[in-house]
Amino acid sequence: MTQQITVTEHLLLHQKQIPGATGQFTHLFNELVLSAKIISRDVSKAGLVDVLGFTGEINVQGEEVKKLDEFANRILIHRMARSGVLCAMASEENADVIDIPHGLPQGSYIIIFDPLDGSSNIDVNVNIGTIFSIYRRKSKIGTPVQSSDVLQCCAEQVAAGYVLYGSSTMLVFTTGDGVHGFTLDPGVGEFLLSHPNMKIPERGKIYSVNEGYWPYWDDATKKVVNHFKSTNNINGHPYSLRYIGSLVADFHRNLIYGGVFMYPADHRDPHKPVGKLRLMCEAAPMAMLIEQAGGMATDGTKRILDIVPHELHQRVPLFIGSKHEVSVIRDIYEEQNG
């Protein structure tokens, strides 16, 4: 049986292995944990309180805002702004960088988050999650935060993770020293270490993609999907298709069982020519996690963590999962596109 180690205990035990780790970093995670507990509490009673349905607003992504989306976003902004360790924040739901209100203490970290990934599944009680990414500012503390502090190369992340709200609530994160999973014990109100040193199998049997978008894919993407549907692959039989439509849920399943999640570019929406997923609050943190777990993440040809964003809400194709499957995808794209 795994020892009952809390997130804070784990961070303190491993603090020497975390580059530049300070008490500020641990405090930042404590505030994230508290936010996750509050969101988890309301997710679990979503059918009993008025947090289902839409708010009537449209977010910066052009998507209808769910009530629980808005609630999760407000909780994270409120808690993190008061942590005293951040100099700025960014959310999928907000158009611009969120400044720390005047009069509140500041620190050297920047957090970027998707407050409730998979929110289209809220009303039907399917798993959803919170994704987060943490950077350390490069400019001098006490000066205004620069765009270059926020738009750092994805490989500059100092930590990344997600909270999965499902049959149990799990926090999975990395600080660059492996991937560790903590499960919320409602009896004691703490996230306890349940999945130490998580590793994705080098080869999987699952592919996750929305095949309803087949008519909008290019030939290279169709060839990729056909590879997993055919018998002409390393398994000698078709892969199993498993697609929940919530990045956190699909990613978590593949992390444990092995496989690949795909959200390729398509031409169904001229405003989203490179796909739907956001680089900074979705693809980048998941890429850091998967590489720390022994997997890979690319945009089809380029490593996600090598990308330097040029705008806050930049979108990117995403192929993420076991090394074998992502390598096959990369090879097909390179061959098909010359």
Side-chain angles (χ1 to χ4, degrees), residues 183-220:
T183 300
L184 180 62
D185 184 338
V188 296
E190 290 284 357
F191 281 96
L192 302 176
L193 182 63
S194 55
H195 296 67
N197 299 308
M198 300 176 77
K199 293 291 183 183
I200 187 169
E202 192 162 329
R203 234 170 67 194
K205 299 179 180 179
I206 296 170
Y207 76 103
S208 310
V209 68
N210 188 342
E211 288 201 45
Y213 296 151
W214 178 277
Y216 306 107
W217 291 336
D218 61 17
D219 290 340

PDB file of all heavy atoms in Angstrom, residues 183-220:
ATOM      1  N   THR A 183      -4.731  11.279  -5.271  1.00  0.00           N
ATOM      2  CA  THR A 183      -6.190  11.128  -5.268  1.00  0.00           C
ATOM      3  C   THR A 183      -6.765  11.805  -4.030  1.00  0.00           C
ATOM      4  O   THR A 183      -6.242  11.649  -2.921  1.00  0.00           O
ATOM      5  CB  THR A 183      -6.580   9.638  -5.275  1.00  0.00           C
ATOM      6  OG1 THR A 183      -6.034   9.022  -6.452  1.00  0.00           O
ATOM      7  CG2 THR A 183      -8.099   9.471  -5.283  1.00  0.00           C
ATOM      8  N   LEU A 184      -7.840  12.568  -4.248  1.00  0.00           N
ATOM      9  CA  LEU A 184      -8.482  13.281  -3.138  1.00  0.00           C
ATOM     10  C   LEU A 184      -9.250  12.301  -2.265  1.00  0.00           C
ATOM     11  O   LEU A 184     -10.160  11.611  -2.733  1.00  0.00           O
ATOM     12  CB  LEU A 184      -9.430  14.351  -3.683  1.00  0.00           C
ATOM     13  CG  LEU A 184     -10.185  15.190  -2.647  1.00  0.00           C
ATOM     14  CD1 LEU A 184      -9.219  15.979  -1.768  1.00  0.00           C
ATOM     15  CD2 LEU A 184     -11.164  16.136  -3.337  1.00  0.00           C
ATOM     16  N   ASP A 185      -8.852  12.216  -1.016  1.00  0.00           N
ATOM     17  CA  ASP A 185      -9.566  11.407  -0.027  1.00  0.00           C
ATOM     18  C   ASP A 185     -10.595  12.307   0.641  1.00  0.00           C
ATOM     19  O   ASP A 185     -10.231  13.158   1.457  1.00  0.00           O
ATOM     20  CB  ASP A 185      -8.590  10.852   1.003  1.00  0.00           C
ATOM     21  CG  ASP A 185      -9.256   9.919   2.022  1.00  0.00           C
ATOM     22  OD1 ASP A 185     -10.485  10.022   2.205  1.00  0.00           O
ATOM     23  OD2 ASP A 185      -8.550   9.100   2.631  1.00  0.00           O
ATOM     24  N   PRO A 186     -11.891  12.147   0.318  1.00  0.00           N
ATOM     25  CA  PRO A 186     -12.901  13.051   0.884  1.00  0.00           C
ATOM     26  C   PRO A 186     -13.037  12.914   2.392  1.00  0.00           C
ATOM     27  O   PRO A 186     -13.508  13.832   3.061  1.00  0.00           O
ATOM     28  CB  PRO A 186     -14.189  12.633   0.169  1.00  0.00           C
ATOM     29  CG  PRO A 186     -13.953  11.235  -0.298  1.00  0.00           C
ATOM     30  CD  PRO A 186     -12.485  11.131  -0.581  1.00  0.00           C
ATOM     31  N   GLY A 187     -12.592  11.780   2.922  1.00  0.00           N
ATOM     32  CA  GLY A 187     -12.702  11.573   4.362  1.00  0.00           C
ATOM     33  C   GLY A 187     -11.776  12.469   5.156  1.00  0.00           C
ATOM     34  O   GLY A 187     -12.120  12.905   6.254  1.00  0.00           O
ATOM     35  N   VAL A 188     -10.597  12.741   4.597  1.00  0.00           N
ATOM     36  CA  VAL A 188      -9.638  13.588   5.312  1.00  0.00           C
ATOM     37  C   VAL A 188      -9.432  14.924   4.600  1.00  0.00           C
ATOM     38  O   VAL A 188      -8.767  15.818   5.129  1.00  0.00           O
ATOM     39  CB  VAL A 188      -8.274  12.871   5.480  1.00  0.00           C
ATOM     40  CG1 VAL A 188      -8.429  11.646   6.340  1.00  0.00           C
ATOM     41  CG2 VAL A 188      -7.669  12.516   4.125  1.00  0.00           C
ATOM     42  N   GLY A 189      -9.994  15.057   3.390  1.00  0.00           N
ATOM     43  CA  GLY A 189      -9.906  16.327   2.675  1.00  0.00           C
ATOM     44  C   GLY A 189      -8.528  16.629   2.136  1.00  0.00           C
ATOM     45  O   GLY A 189      -8.155  17.791   1.991  1.00  0.00           O
ATOM     46  N   GLU A 190      -7.750  15.587   1.834  1.00  0.00           N
ATOM     47  CA  GLU A 190      -6.395  15.788   1.332  1.00  0.00           C
ATOM     48  C   GLU A 190      -6.168  14.966   0.058  1.00  0.00           C
ATOM     49  O   GLU A 190      -6.726  13.876  -0.104  1.00  0.00           O
ATOM     50  CB  GLU A 190      -5.358  15.351   2.374  1.00  0.00           C
ATOM     51  CG  GLU A 190      -5.272  16.249   3.596  1.00  0.00           C
ATOM     52  CD  GLU A 190      -4.530  17.550   3.316  1.00  0.00           C
ATOM     53  OE1 GLU A 190      -4.037  17.739   2.185  1.00  0.00           O
ATOM     54  OE2 GLU A 190      -4.457  18.384   4.241  1.00  0.00           O
ATOM     55  N   PHE A 191      -5.318  15.494  -0.839  1.00  0.00           N
ATOM     56  CA  PHE A 191      -4.834  14.719  -1.974  1.00  0.00           C
ATOM     57  C   PHE A 191      -3.676  13.856  -1.477  1.00  0.00           C
ATOM     58  O   PHE A 191      -2.675  14.375  -0.986  1.00  0.00           O
ATOM     59  CB  PHE A 191      -4.343  15.641  -3.089  1.00  0.00           C
ATOM     60  CG  PHE A 191      -5.440  16.225  -3.935  1.00  0.00           C
ATOM     61  CD1 PHE A 191      -5.936  17.498  -3.667  1.00  0.00           C
ATOM     62  CD2 PHE A 191      -5.968  15.513  -5.003  1.00  0.00           C
ATOM     63  CE1 PHE A 191      -6.934  18.051  -4.452  1.00  0.00           C
ATOM     64  CE2 PHE A 191      -6.965  16.055  -5.797  1.00  0.00           C
ATOM     65  CZ  PHE A 191      -7.463  17.325  -5.529  1.00  0.00           C
ATOM     66  N   LEU A 192      -3.823  12.538  -1.617  1.00  0.00           N
ATOM     67  CA  LEU A 192      -2.804  11.608  -1.126  1.00  0.00           C
ATOM     68  C   LEU A 192      -2.161  10.874  -2.301  1.00  0.00           C
ATOM     69  O   LEU A 192      -2.839  10.521  -3.272  1.00  0.00           O
ATOM     70  CB  LEU A 192      -3.432  10.595  -0.167  1.00  0.00           C
ATOM     71  CG  LEU A 192      -4.127  11.199   1.065  1.00  0.00           C
ATOM     72  CD1 LEU A 192      -4.798  10.104   1.883  1.00  0.00           C
ATOM     73  CD2 LEU A 192      -3.138  11.983   1.925  1.00  0.00           C
ATOM     74  N   LEU A 193      -0.851  10.659  -2.212  1.00  0.00           N
ATOM     75  CA  LEU A 193      -0.108  10.015  -3.287  1.00  0.00           C
ATOM     76  C   LEU A 193      -0.663   8.617  -3.557  1.00  0.00           C
ATOM     77  O   LEU A 193      -0.649   7.751  -2.678  1.00  0.00           O
ATOM     78  CB  LEU A 193       1.382   9.926  -2.917  1.00  0.00           C
ATOM     79  CG  LEU A 193       2.304   9.307  -3.964  1.00  0.00           C
ATOM     80  CD1 LEU A 193       2.315  10.142  -5.240  1.00  0.00           C
ATOM     81  CD2 LEU A 193       3.719   9.163  -3.398  1.00  0.00           C
ATOM     82  N   SER A 194      -1.151   8.406  -4.775  1.00  0.00           N
ATOM     83  CA  SER A 194      -1.739   7.118  -5.143  1.00  0.00           C
ATOM     84  C   SER A 194      -1.069   6.505  -6.366  1.00  0.00           C
ATOM     85  O   SER A 194      -1.131   5.303  -6.581  1.00  0.00           O
ATOM     86  CB  SER A 194      -3.238   7.286  -5.424  1.00  0.00           C
ATOM     87  OG  SER A 194      -3.451   8.293  -6.424  1.00  0.00           O
ATOM     88  N   HIS A 195      -0.432   7.346  -7.201  1.00  0.00           N
ATOM     89  CA  HIS A 195       0.196   6.875  -8.426  1.00  0.00           C
ATOM     90  C   HIS A 195       1.608   7.476  -8.548  1.00  0.00           C
ATOM     91  O   HIS A 195       1.823   8.422  -9.304  1.00  0.00           O
ATOM     92  CB  HIS A 195      -0.633   7.269  -9.650  1.00  0.00           C
ATOM     93  CG  HIS A 195      -1.994   6.643  -9.712  1.00  0.00           C
ATOM     94  ND1 HIS A 195      -2.994   6.945  -8.810  1.00  0.00           N
ATOM     95  CD2 HIS A 195      -2.508   5.729 -10.576  1.00  0.00           C
ATOM     96  CE1 HIS A 195      -4.074   6.250  -9.127  1.00  0.00           C
ATOM     97  NE2 HIS A 195      -3.800   5.502 -10.186  1.00  0.00           N
ATOM     98  N   PRO A 196       2.580   6.970  -7.799  1.00  0.00           N
ATOM     99  CA  PRO A 196       3.934   7.525  -7.889  1.00  0.00           C
ATOM    100  C   PRO A 196       4.619   7.128  -9.191  1.00  0.00           C
ATOM    101  O   PRO A 196       4.390   6.027  -9.716  1.00  0.00           O
ATOM    102  CB  PRO A 196       4.645   6.902  -6.680  1.00  0.00           C
ATOM    103  CG  PRO A 196       3.905   5.622  -6.423  1.00  0.00           C
ATOM    104  CD  PRO A 196       2.480   5.882  -6.803  1.00  0.00           C
ATOM    105  N   ASN A 197       5.438   8.036  -9.722  1.00  0.00           N
ATOM    106  CA  ASN A 197       6.275   7.748 -10.894  1.00  0.00           C
ATOM    107  C   ASN A 197       5.491   7.103 -12.033  1.00  0.00           C
ATOM    108  O   ASN A 197       5.815   6.006 -12.495  1.00  0.00           O
ATOM    109  CB  ASN A 197       7.450   6.842 -10.486  1.00  0.00           C
ATOM    110  CG  ASN A 197       8.349   7.486  -9.459  1.00  0.00           C
ATOM    111  OD1 ASN A 197       8.812   8.612  -9.648  1.00  0.00           O
ATOM    112  ND2 ASN A 197       8.582   6.797  -8.344  1.00  0.00           N
ATOM    113  N   MET A 198       4.472   7.792 -12.490  1.00  0.00           N
ATOM    114  CA  MET A 198       3.628   7.272 -13.561  1.00  0.00           C
ATOM    115  C   MET A 198       4.406   7.210 -14.872  1.00  0.00           C
ATOM    116  O   MET A 198       5.117   8.147 -15.236  1.00  0.00           O
ATOM    117  CB  MET A 198       2.384   8.148 -13.735  1.00  0.00           C
ATOM    118  CG  MET A 198       1.513   8.224 -12.500  1.00  0.00           C
ATOM    119  SD  MET A 198       0.108   9.365 -12.674  1.00  0.00           S
ATOM    120  CE  MET A 198      -0.984   8.358 -13.695  1.00  0.00           C
ATOM    121  N   LYS A 199       4.282   6.092 -15.591  1.00  0.00           N
ATOM    122  CA  LYS A 199       4.941   5.901 -16.874  1.00  0.00           C
ATOM    123  C   LYS A 199       3.921   5.388 -17.897  1.00  0.00           C
ATOM    124  O   LYS A 199       3.162   4.466 -17.606  1.00  0.00           O
ATOM    125  CB  LYS A 199       6.087   4.886 -16.759  1.00  0.00           C
ATOM    126  CG  LYS A 199       7.260   5.364 -15.914  1.00  0.00           C
ATOM    127  CD  LYS A 199       8.019   6.491 -16.614  1.00  0.00           C
ATOM    128  CE  LYS A 199       9.223   6.931 -15.814  1.00  0.00           C
ATOM    129  NZ  LYS A 199       9.937   8.079 -16.458  1.00  0.00           N
ATOM    130  N   ILE A 200       3.939   5.987 -19.079  1.00  0.00           N
ATOM    131  CA  ILE A 200       3.062   5.523 -20.136  1.00  0.00           C
ATOM    132  C   ILE A 200       3.730   4.350 -20.844  1.00  0.00           C
ATOM    133  O   ILE A 200       4.947   4.375 -21.067  1.00  0.00           O
ATOM    134  CB  ILE A 200       2.738   6.654 -21.139  1.00  0.00           C
ATOM    135  CG1 ILE A 200       1.670   6.202 -22.155  1.00  0.00           C
ATOM    136  CG2 ILE A 200       3.988   7.168 -21.843  1.00  0.00           C
ATOM    137  CD1 ILE A 200       1.118   7.333 -22.998  1.00  0.00           C
ATOM    138  N   PRO A 201       2.993   3.292 -21.180  1.00  0.00           N
ATOM    139  CA  PRO A 201       3.597   2.197 -21.947  1.00  0.00           C
ATOM    140  C   PRO A 201       4.198   2.709 -23.256  1.00  0.00           C
ATOM    141  O   PRO A 201       3.659   3.632 -23.871  1.00  0.00           O
ATOM    142  CB  PRO A 201       2.404   1.260 -22.209  1.00  0.00           C
ATOM    143  CG  PRO A 201       1.456   1.534 -21.083  1.00  0.00           C
ATOM    144  CD  PRO A 201       1.595   2.998 -20.798  1.00  0.00           C
ATOM    145  N   GLU A 202       5.329   2.130 -23.660  1.00  0.00           N
ATOM    146  CA  GLU A 202       6.001   2.596 -24.874  1.00  0.00           C
ATOM    147  C   GLU A 202       5.152   2.357 -26.114  1.00  0.00           C
ATOM    148  O   GLU A 202       5.285   3.062 -27.116  1.00  0.00           O
ATOM    149  CB  GLU A 202       7.359   1.904 -25.015  1.00  0.00           C
ATOM    150  CG  GLU A 202       8.234   2.535 -26.075  1.00  0.00           C
ATOM    151  CD  GLU A 202       9.694   2.156 -25.937  1.00  0.00           C
ATOM    152  OE1 GLU A 202      10.149   1.933 -24.803  1.00  0.00           O
ATOM    153  OE2 GLU A 202      10.367   2.071 -26.975  1.00  0.00           O
ATOM    154  N   ARG A 203       4.268   1.359 -26.041  1.00  0.00           N
ATOM    155  CA  ARG A 203       3.373   1.038 -27.139  1.00  0.00           C
ATOM    156  C   ARG A 203       1.970   0.879 -26.584  1.00  0.00           C
ATOM    157  O   ARG A 203       1.796   0.384 -25.476  1.00  0.00           O
ATOM    158  CB  ARG A 203       3.800  -0.285 -27.778  1.00  0.00           C
ATOM    159  CG  ARG A 203       4.036  -0.236 -29.252  1.00  0.00           C
ATOM    160  CD  ARG A 203       4.684  -1.522 -29.712  1.00  0.00           C
ATOM    161  NE  ARG A 203       3.794  -2.667 -29.581  1.00  0.00           N
ATOM    162  CZ  ARG A 203       4.205  -3.923 -29.655  1.00  0.00           C
ATOM    163  NH1 ARG A 203       5.468  -4.192 -29.812  1.00  0.00           N
ATOM    164  NH2 ARG A 203       3.336  -4.909 -29.557  1.00  0.00           N
ATOM    165  N   GLY A 204       0.966   1.311 -27.328  1.00  0.00           N
ATOM    166  CA  GLY A 204      -0.398   1.198 -26.847  1.00  0.00           C
ATOM    167  C   GLY A 204      -1.305   0.457 -27.815  1.00  0.00           C
ATOM    168  O   GLY A 204      -0.874  -0.005 -28.865  1.00  0.00           O
ATOM    169  N   LYS A 205      -2.586   0.384 -27.445  1.00  0.00           N
ATOM    170  CA  LYS A 205      -3.580  -0.291 -28.289  1.00  0.00           C
ATOM    171  C   LYS A 205      -4.789   0.600 -28.547  1.00  0.00           C
ATOM    172  O   LYS A 205      -5.791   0.145 -29.083  1.00  0.00           O
ATOM    173  CB  LYS A 205      -4.032  -1.594 -27.623  1.00  0.00           C
ATOM    174  CG  LYS A 205      -2.914  -2.600 -27.392  1.00  0.00           C
ATOM    175  CD  LYS A 205      -3.426  -3.856 -26.701  1.00  0.00           C
ATOM    176  CE  LYS A 205      -2.290  -4.864 -26.460  1.00  0.00           C
ATOM    177  NZ  LYS A 205      -2.782  -6.082 -25.767  1.00  0.00           N
ATOM    178  N   ILE A 206      -4.686   1.875 -28.131  1.00  0.00           N
ATOM    179  CA  ILE A 206      -5.826   2.781 -28.212  1.00  0.00           C
ATOM    180  C   ILE A 206      -5.466   3.999 -29.048  1.00  0.00           C
ATOM    181  O   ILE A 206      -4.362   4.526 -28.940  1.00  0.00           O
ATOM    182  CB  ILE A 206      -6.252   3.248 -26.803  1.00  0.00           C
ATOM    183  CG1 ILE A 206      -6.755   2.063 -25.967  1.00  0.00           C
ATOM    184  CG2 ILE A 206      -7.314   4.346 -26.875  1.00  0.00           C
ATOM    185  CD1 ILE A 206      -6.956   2.392 -24.495  1.00  0.00           C
ATOM    186  N   TYR A 207      -6.394   4.442 -29.906  1.00  0.00           N
ATOM    187  CA  TYR A 207      -6.249   5.753 -30.539  1.00  0.00           C
ATOM    188  C   TYR A 207      -7.499   6.562 -30.240  1.00  0.00           C
ATOM    189  O   TYR A 207      -8.609   6.038 -30.195  1.00  0.00           O
ATOM    190  CB  TYR A 207      -5.972   5.645 -32.040  1.00  0.00           C
ATOM    191  CG  TYR A 207      -7.158   5.294 -32.928  1.00  0.00           C
ATOM    192  CD1 TYR A 207      -7.802   6.277 -33.682  1.00  0.00           C
ATOM    193  CD2 TYR A 207      -7.616   3.984 -33.039  1.00  0.00           C
ATOM    194  CE1 TYR A 207      -8.866   5.970 -34.518  1.00  0.00           C
ATOM    195  CE2 TYR A 207      -8.679   3.661 -33.867  1.00  0.00           C
ATOM    196  CZ  TYR A 207      -9.299   4.654 -34.607  1.00  0.00           C
ATOM    197  OH  TYR A 207     -10.349   4.338 -35.433  1.00  0.00           O
ATOM    198  N   SER A 208      -7.303   7.855 -29.999  1.00  0.00           N
ATOM    199  CA  SER A 208      -8.394   8.743 -29.600  1.00  0.00           C
ATOM    200  C   SER A 208      -8.449   9.907 -30.567  1.00  0.00           C
ATOM    201  O   SER A 208      -7.516  10.709 -30.644  1.00  0.00           O
ATOM    202  CB  SER A 208      -8.162   9.271 -28.177  1.00  0.00           C
ATOM    203  OG  SER A 208      -7.870   8.226 -27.278  1.00  0.00           O
ATOM    204  N   VAL A 209      -9.538  10.010 -31.313  1.00  0.00           N
ATOM    205  CA  VAL A 209      -9.710  11.109 -32.262  1.00  0.00           C
ATOM    206  C   VAL A 209     -11.187  11.205 -32.614  1.00  0.00           C
ATOM    207  O   VAL A 209     -11.911  10.209 -32.553  1.00  0.00           O
ATOM    208  CB  VAL A 209      -8.867  10.871 -33.546  1.00  0.00           C
ATOM    209  CG1 VAL A 209      -9.402   9.687 -34.360  1.00  0.00           C
ATOM    210  CG2 VAL A 209      -8.763  12.126 -34.393  1.00  0.00           C
ATOM    211  N   ASN A 210     -11.637  12.399 -32.969  1.00  0.00           N
ATOM    212  CA  ASN A 210     -13.022  12.586 -33.387  1.00  0.00           C
ATOM    213  C   ASN A 210     -13.116  12.321 -34.891  1.00  0.00           C
ATOM    214  O   ASN A 210     -12.840  13.196 -35.703  1.00  0.00           O
ATOM    215  CB  ASN A 210     -13.489  14.007 -33.067  1.00  0.00           C
ATOM    216  CG  ASN A 210     -14.976  14.186 -33.309  1.00  0.00           C
ATOM    217  OD1 ASN A 210     -15.611  13.399 -34.014  1.00  0.00           O
ATOM    218  ND2 ASN A 210     -15.553  15.220 -32.723  1.00  0.00           N
ATOM    219  N   GLU A 211     -13.504  11.104 -35.256  1.00  0.00           N
ATOM    220  CA  GLU A 211     -13.552  10.730 -36.669  1.00  0.00           C
ATOM    221  C   GLU A 211     -14.691  11.402 -37.420  1.00  0.00           C
ATOM    222  O   GLU A 211     -14.773  11.312 -38.650  1.00  0.00           O
ATOM    223  CB  GLU A 211     -13.632   9.209 -36.817  1.00  0.00           C
ATOM    224  CG  GLU A 211     -12.333   8.515 -36.469  1.00  0.00           C
ATOM    225  CD  GLU A 211     -12.209   7.127 -37.080  1.00  0.00           C
ATOM    226  OE1 GLU A 211     -12.523   6.975 -38.279  1.00  0.00           O
ATOM    227  OE2 GLU A 211     -11.818   6.201 -36.351  1.00  0.00           O
ATOM    228  N   GLY A 212     -15.562  12.080 -36.703  1.00  0.00           N
ATOM    229  CA  GLY A 212     -16.623  12.834 -37.367  1.00  0.00           C
ATOM    230  C   GLY A 212     -16.078  13.967 -38.229  1.00  0.00           C
ATOM    231  O   GLY A 212     -16.781  14.486 -39.105  1.00  0.00           O
ATOM    232  N   TYR A 213     -14.809  14.349 -37.991  1.00  0.00           N
ATOM    233  CA  TYR A 213     -14.198  15.433 -38.763  1.00  0.00           C
ATOM    234  C   TYR A 213     -13.425  14.917 -39.980  1.00  0.00           C
ATOM    235  O   TYR A 213     -12.703  15.675 -40.622  1.00  0.00           O
ATOM    236  CB  TYR A 213     -13.249  16.242 -37.863  1.00  0.00           C
ATOM    237  CG  TYR A 213     -13.944  16.953 -36.718  1.00  0.00           C
ATOM    238  CD1 TYR A 213     -13.273  17.213 -35.521  1.00  0.00           C
ATOM    239  CD2 TYR A 213     -15.269  17.363 -36.829  1.00  0.00           C
ATOM    240  CE1 TYR A 213     -13.916  17.861 -34.472  1.00  0.00           C
ATOM    241  CE2 TYR A 213     -15.917  18.004 -35.781  1.00  0.00           C
ATOM    242  CZ  TYR A 213     -15.229  18.243 -34.602  1.00  0.00           C
ATOM    243  OH  TYR A 213     -15.866  18.888 -33.567  1.00  0.00           O
ATOM    244  N   TRP A 214     -13.577  13.633 -40.288  1.00  0.00           N
ATOM    245  CA  TRP A 214     -12.863  13.023 -41.419  1.00  0.00           C
ATOM    246  C   TRP A 214     -12.945  13.853 -42.705  1.00  0.00           C
ATOM    247  O   TRP A 214     -11.926  14.066 -43.376  1.00  0.00           O
ATOM    248  CB  TRP A 214     -13.393  11.610 -41.651  1.00  0.00           C
ATOM    249  CG  TRP A 214     -12.786  10.890 -42.818  1.00  0.00           C
ATOM    250  CD1 TRP A 214     -13.140  10.999 -44.139  1.00  0.00           C
ATOM    251  CD2 TRP A 214     -11.706   9.951 -42.768  1.00  0.00           C
ATOM    252  NE1 TRP A 214     -12.363  10.191 -44.916  1.00  0.00           N
ATOM    253  CE2 TRP A 214     -11.465   9.534 -44.103  1.00  0.00           C
ATOM    254  CE3 TRP A 214     -10.919   9.422 -41.744  1.00  0.00           C
ATOM    255  CZ2 TRP A 214     -10.476   8.606 -44.434  1.00  0.00           C
ATOM    256  CZ3 TRP A 214      -9.941   8.499 -42.070  1.00  0.00           C
ATOM    257  CH2 TRP A 214      -9.721   8.109 -43.390  1.00  0.00           C
ATOM    258  N   PRO A 215     -14.110  14.361 -43.107  1.00  0.00           N
ATOM    259  CA  PRO A 215     -14.187  15.104 -44.383  1.00  0.00           C
ATOM    260  C   PRO A 215     -13.337  16.378 -44.396  1.00  0.00           C
ATOM    261  O   PRO A 215     -13.053  16.913 -45.468  1.00  0.00           O
ATOM    262  CB  PRO A 215     -15.677  15.454 -44.498  1.00  0.00           C
ATOM    263  CG  PRO A 215     -16.381  14.489 -43.610  1.00  0.00           C
ATOM    264  CD  PRO A 215     -15.436  14.243 -42.476  1.00  0.00           C
ATOM    265  N   TYR A 216     -12.932  16.861 -43.218  1.00  0.00           N
ATOM    266  CA  TYR A 216     -12.206  18.122 -43.143  1.00  0.00           C
ATOM    267  C   TYR A 216     -10.691  17.930 -42.992  1.00  0.00           C
ATOM    268  O   TYR A 216      -9.960  18.897 -42.848  1.00  0.00           O
ATOM    269  CB  TYR A 216     -12.725  18.953 -41.967  1.00  0.00           C
ATOM    270  CG  TYR A 216     -14.221  19.171 -41.998  1.00  0.00           C
ATOM    271  CD1 TYR A 216     -15.061  18.496 -41.116  1.00  0.00           C
ATOM    272  CD2 TYR A 216     -14.797  20.052 -42.921  1.00  0.00           C
ATOM    273  CE1 TYR A 216     -16.436  18.697 -41.146  1.00  0.00           C
ATOM    274  CE2 TYR A 216     -16.162  20.248 -42.955  1.00  0.00           C
ATOM    275  CZ  TYR A 216     -16.970  19.571 -42.065  1.00  0.00           C
ATOM    276  OH  TYR A 216     -18.330  19.762 -42.100  1.00  0.00           O
ATOM    277  N   TRP A 217     -10.234  16.676 -42.991  1.00  0.00           N
ATOM    278  CA  TRP A 217      -8.810  16.399 -42.819  1.00  0.00           C
ATOM    279  C   TRP A 217      -8.082  16.351 -44.151  1.00  0.00           C
ATOM    280  O   TRP A 217      -8.673  16.034 -45.194  1.00  0.00           O
ATOM    281  CB  TRP A 217      -8.604  15.065 -42.108  1.00  0.00           C
ATOM    282  CG  TRP A 217      -9.021  15.052 -40.675  1.00  0.00           C
ATOM    283  CD1 TRP A 217      -9.124  16.115 -39.829  1.00  0.00           C
ATOM    284  CD2 TRP A 217      -9.383  13.896 -39.912  1.00  0.00           C
ATOM    285  NE1 TRP A 217      -9.524  15.695 -38.578  1.00  0.00           N
ATOM    286  CE2 TRP A 217      -9.696  14.345 -38.603  1.00  0.00           C
ATOM    287  CE3 TRP A 217      -9.477  12.547 -40.185  1.00  0.00           C
ATOM    288  CZ2 TRP A 217     -10.076  13.472 -37.588  1.00  0.00           C
ATOM    289  CZ3 TRP A 217      -9.857  11.671 -39.186  1.00  0.00           C
ATOM    290  CH2 TRP A 217     -10.164  12.141 -37.889  1.00  0.00           C
ATOM    291  N   ASP A 218      -6.763  16.613 -44.110  1.00  0.00           N
ATOM    292  CA  ASP A 218      -5.952  16.453 -45.315  1.00  0.00           C
ATOM    293  C   ASP A 218      -5.583  14.976 -45.485  1.00  0.00           C
ATOM    294  O   ASP A 218      -5.887  14.133 -44.632  1.00  0.00           O
ATOM    295  CB  ASP A 218      -4.698  17.338 -45.260  1.00  0.00           C
ATOM    296  CG  ASP A 218      -3.770  17.008 -44.093  1.00  0.00           C
ATOM    297  OD1 ASP A 218      -3.888  15.914 -43.501  1.00  0.00           O
ATOM    298  OD2 ASP A 218      -2.922  17.854 -43.763  1.00  0.00           O
ATOM    299  N   ASP A 219      -4.943  14.654 -46.600  1.00  0.00           N
ATOM    300  CA  ASP A 219      -4.640  13.252 -46.915  1.00  0.00           C
ATOM    301  C   ASP A 219      -3.688  12.621 -45.904  1.00  0.00           C
ATOM    302  O   ASP A 219      -3.814  11.437 -45.576  1.00  0.00           O
ATOM    303  CB  ASP A 219      -4.036  13.151 -48.322  1.00  0.00           C
ATOM    304  CG  ASP A 219      -5.051  13.451 -49.421  1.00  0.00           C
ATOM    305  OD1 ASP A 219      -6.264  13.359 -49.138  1.00  0.00           O
ATOM    306  OD2 ASP A 219      -4.631  13.763 -50.552  1.00  0.00           O
ATOM    307  N   ALA A 220      -2.721  13.424 -45.395  1.00  0.00           N
ATOM    308  CA  ALA A 220      -1.769  12.886 -44.423  1.00  0.00           C
ATOM    309  C   ALA A 220      -2.480  12.446 -43.147  1.00  0.00           C
ATOM    310  O   ALA A 220      -2.192  11.375 -42.594  1.00  0.00           O
ATOM    311  CB  ALA A 220      -0.704  13.928 -44.103  1.00  0.00           C
TER     312      ALA A 220
END
